[in-house]
Amino acid sequence: MSLSRKQYWIACLFLLPAFVIFGMFFFYPFLQSIYYSFTEWNGVKTPRYVGLSNYRYLFQDVQMLDGMKNTLKMVVFGLLVQNPLALLLAVLLNKKFRTRGFLRTSFYLPVIISLVVTSVVWGEILKFDGFANGILTRIIGEANVQDWLGTVYTSFPTIILLTQWQAIGYCAVIYLAGLQAIPTDIYEAADIEGAKGIALFRHVTFPMLMPSFTIVLFLTIVGALRLFDLPFLLTNGGPGSSSYTIFLAVYNAAFKNQSYGYATAGSIVLTVFIIAVTVIQLSITRRREVEL
């Protein structure tokens, strides 16, 4: 046996334990879940094969449909509002001014706070007789205040705004790192060519920022599709199903209604959707990246 072939088999031997563990705890459960998605199963009795019924019911279930609509709203809001605001914030925080360090810390601080703590605090602030309505009552009158998390029309928009409290600072830090990685000599060359203001940003800064843009866009889309914590902790999808997300609908189908087969079908559809969207997004944005 040649030396290179021997090294190859030794490397395989070292990789074998990791491959076995990964297969046991990832690949096998995933393949098993595909089987369960075609069954009616409550986690105790023997699964009963029902064909595509679970997948067909996904598009008739009100909670799942509301979850899909709200999740897509979250994706659109993340792309059209959260992402530009994070970029604008990063550009502003990249300028030199006296309180720059303090403001950078302040905007990133919400990211390190536990979501459970965040939910409890915001739940107390936004309840009908909470702090927010106490101030609004004095400004616009008691007749115009809302139960922000307890009303069908305001519960999910409120949750979307609360997610921005953490997400914008997090995305801004990634953009800020990208801005600081752009060599200054590129700006000096652009200045000599007379590029300034919006033209400088459009033709120099933004193309050089594409790697950060790819990462932020990926995190925004996947984070929106996986939104679970805040609606679960603040409203549990209510009132009715107005603040459901797909993840929450899958969770409740499994652990509240004990419909594990149906919940597995929902999670597989969500997984395939996330993979498809991220592959398309990465293929589009990576083609536009500029190497330094």
Side-chain angles (χ1 to χ4, degrees):
M1 184 181 289
S2 65
L3 182 61
S4 60
R5 195 171 180 81
K6 189 177 177 181
Q7 287 175 334
Y8 172 79
W9 285 112
I10 289 173
C12 289
L13 198 63
F14 276 108
L15 287 173
L16 187 62
F19 184 75
V20 170
I21 292 171
F22 205 67
M24 283 174 60
F25 293 101
F26 183 77
F27 287 120
Y28 177 67
F30 180 72
L31 294 174
Q32 207 174 24
S33 66
I34 292 175
Y35 163 70
Y36 285 130
S37 71
F38 294 101
T39 67
E40 182 183 336
W41 183 45
N42 63 3
V44 178
K45 295 180 180 177
T46 306
R48 186 172 66 86
Y49 180 75
V50 293
L52 293 172
S53 298
N54 287 334
Y55 289 95
R56 281 197 289 267
Y57 187 60
L58 284 175
F59 300 97
Q60 300 168 8
D61 184 356
V62 175
Q63 292 181 344
M64 202 62 78
L65 290 174
D66 284 344
M68 289 178 192
K69 288 176 191 171
N70 287 335
T71 302
L72 289 177
K73 285 178 192 172
M74 186 67 222
V75 173
V76 172
F77 189 89
L79 294 176
L80 300 182
V81 180
Q82 173 190 316
N83 200 31
L85 283 178
L87 180 57
L88 178 63
L89 181 63
V91 171
L92 293 175
L93 291 177
N94 196 39
K95 296 183 181 300
K96 291 181 180 177
F97 55 92
R98 184 172 293 177
T99 57
R100 183 174 65 170
F102 171 75
L103 288 176
R104 285 179 181 176
T105 307
S106 302
F107 281 110
Y108 189 72
L109 200 60
V111 180
I112 63 173
I113 299 176
S114 161
L115 261 177
V116 176
V117 175
T118 301
S119 303
V120 171
V121 172
W122 279 113
E124 288 296 314
I125 291 173
L126 293 171
K127 66 184 183 181
F128 187 72
D129 55 350
F131 179 72
N133 278 346
I135 293 175
L136 288 174
T137 300
R138 295 177 184 177
I139 300 171
I140 60 176
E142 189 175 356
N144 296 314
V145 298
Q146 298 281 336
D147 185 359
W148 302 104
L149 295 170
T151 307
V152 171
Y153 298 107
T154 58
S155 59
F156 195 69
T158 304
I159 287 173
I160 289 179
L161 292 178
L162 291 182
T163 61
Q164 303 312 301
W165 184 65
Q166 286 189 321
I168 288 179
Y170 183 67
C171 295
V173 167
I174 297 173
Y175 278 132
L176 192 58
L179 287 169
Q180 292 177 351
I182 300 174
T184 53
D185 55 347
I186 294 178
Y187 284 117
E188 289 169 2
D191 188 50
I192 293 171
E193 295 291 332
K196 294 184 184 301
I198 295 175
L200 180 67
F201 181 82
R202 182 183 171 190
H203 296 292
V204 177
T205 304
F206 191 68
M208 300 299 289
L209 207 56
M210 277 309 290
S212 301
F213 188 72
T214 301
I215 295 169
V216 171
L217 217 58
F218 172 78
L219 293 175
T220 301
I221 293 172
V222 174
L225 291 172
R226 293 172 60 248
L227 181 63
F228 171 78
D229 318 66
L230 276 177
F232 175 70
L233 292 167
L234 286 172
T235 62
N236 198 21
S241 55
S242 60
S243 60
Y244 260 75
T245 61
I246 299 180
F247 236 83
L248 184 56
V250 168
Y251 175 87
N252 280 344
F255 300 106
K256 196 173 176 182
N257 303 329
Q258 280 79 47
S259 300
Y260 291 102
Y262 174 62
T264 307
S267 63
I268 286 176
V269 169
L270 179 60
T271 303
V272 171
F273 186 67
I274 289 175
I275 291 172
V277 169
T278 50
V279 166
I280 293 169
Q281 179 256 312
L282 290 175
S283 65
I284 293 172
T285 53
R286 279 193 170 167
R287 280 204 298 266
R288 297 173 184 273
E289 288 183 7
V290 177
E291 291 186 8
L292 296 176

